[in-house]
Amino acid sequence: MIAATEIESSRKPQSMDELVQGIHDILGPDGGIDSAHIDQNEIIELMASYSSNAQDWAKYTMFDTSRPYTRNLIDDGNGKFNLMILAWSPQRHSPIHDHAGAHCIMKVLDGKLQETQYEYPAKIDEDAACNSIDITDGSEEKVVGQDSNAMHVTKNTILKSNQVAYIHDKIGLHRIANPSSKEGAVSLHLYTPPFKTCKTFEEATGKARSASQCTYYSIRGARQEKGLL
């Protein structure tokens, strides 16, 4: 968890539009967060400095209780990043997953979320038969019992509204869950560089799906009926 940091009032975004513009300004027209002239902490501080306001993000937030969560694109960052809203159904969770080498900055906008971090397996056993599965459909295989390759938890954190977390594959894998039995939750995610597929993992066995699809439920407030990468 990353605490909100003081940022110059002239740069503190007062709306979602200002936050999006601030991200563009920091990353510039030719750079992602891995560029030598980019300080990732500057992006993290900018995300932390934005105070959640439902009037800013409600139009992008589409729930679907038949799914654990939905991915709703706000801005595609001219190919340098993706900024999106994730809308979480009560008592549902993401699969354990990596980020395909991307940086992930997550801010809770409403409700609470639990982040569970795991060690990245030293050896990955990929299940090719499970390719091309939508990461948001909740179809991860249920495995009974554990074996010697079971995933190892390194950290558990409860994130409240306006708190920010950061993860990269060098840190490990994670799973995000909405612990509430009654209320949905909303989070804002910045991924840079953007990615279309990632690996998901079975907690009990460490087995990986090598190409889970990261589809969008909506784009800029417009529902995508069949999903769109």
Side-chain angles (χ1 to χ4, degrees):
M1 179 181 66
I2 299 166
T5 315
E6 289 296 325
I7 194 166
E8 294 179 20
S9 59
S10 60
R11 290 185 52 205
K12 185 175 181 179
Q14 302 300 312
S15 67
M16 183 66 68
D17 288 343
E18 289 186 13
L19 175 60
V20 171
Q21 185 58 55
I23 295 170
H24 277 279
D25 290 345
I26 292 173
L27 293 181
D30 61 347
I33 203 169
D34 283 323
S35 299
H37 64 285
I38 302 299
D39 180 359
Q40 71 183 38
N41 290 318
E42 193 173 1
I43 294 284
I44 293 170
E45 290 172 7
L46 182 70
M47 292 273 286
S49 71
Y50 167 71
S51 295
S52 177
N53 181 347
Q55 292 182 344
D56 285 340
W57 46 259
K59 64 183 177 182
Y60 302 113
T61 305
M62 298 187 185
F63 284 91
D64 182 343
T65 56
S66 71
R67 294 171 173 267
Y69 66 104
T70 62
R71 303 170 82 248
N72 305 278
L73 183 68
I74 297 174
D75 192 277
D76 64 6
N78 295 324
K80 302 300 181 183
F81 66 85
N82 283 337
L83 184 70
M84 66 190 71
I85 293 280
L86 271 59
W88 299 88
S89 299
Q91 284 196 318
R92 302 294 298 275
H93 59 80
S94 74
I96 301 168
H97 60 281
D98 72 2
H99 293 89
H103 301 262
C104 169
I105 304 169
M106 178 183 77
K107 180 185 182 76
V108 178
L109 299 179
D110 189 49
K112 296 179 182 179
L113 290 172
Q114 179 178 7
E115 182 193 33
T116 304
Q117 293 186 8
Y118 299 81
E119 285 184 356
Y120 205 110
K123 181 180 179 181
I124 297 176
D125 179 14
E126 294 189 2
D127 187 351
C130 292
N131 288 356
S132 302
I133 294 174
D134 184 346
I135 192 175
T136 68
D137 70 3
S139 65
E140 61 262 34
E141 186 178 355
K142 303 298 187 294
V143 180
V144 178
Q146 291 188 334
D147 63 23
S148 60
N149 294 316
M151 306 292 292
H152 176 62
V153 174
T154 59
K155 186 178 181 181
N156 255 312
T157 306
I158 296 293
L159 299 164
K160 301 177 182 179
S161 182
N162 282 315
Q163 290 185 318
V164 174
Y166 167 80
I167 194 166
H168 185 274
D169 291 348
K170 292 179 181 178
I171 295 173
L173 310 169
H174 75 174
R175 176 172 65 197
I176 303 298
N178 178 6
S180 174
S181 62
K182 297 180 180 179
E183 303 294 333
V186 180
S187 53
L188 180 68
H189 295 243
L190 175 69
Y191 301 109
T192 177
F195 57 92
K196 293 183 177 181
T197 63
C198 67
K199 289 183 175 66
T200 60
F201 296 79
E202 294 173 353
E203 184 170 19
T205 68
K207 185 175 291 186
R209 291 175 172 173
S210 58
S212 294
Q213 303 290 316
C214 301
T215 59
Y216 295 121
Y217 193 82
S218 71
I219 296 178
R220 298 182 181 88
R223 175 76 170 96
Q224 303 298 299
E225 293 299 334
K226 295 183 179 180
L228 183 65
L229 291 176

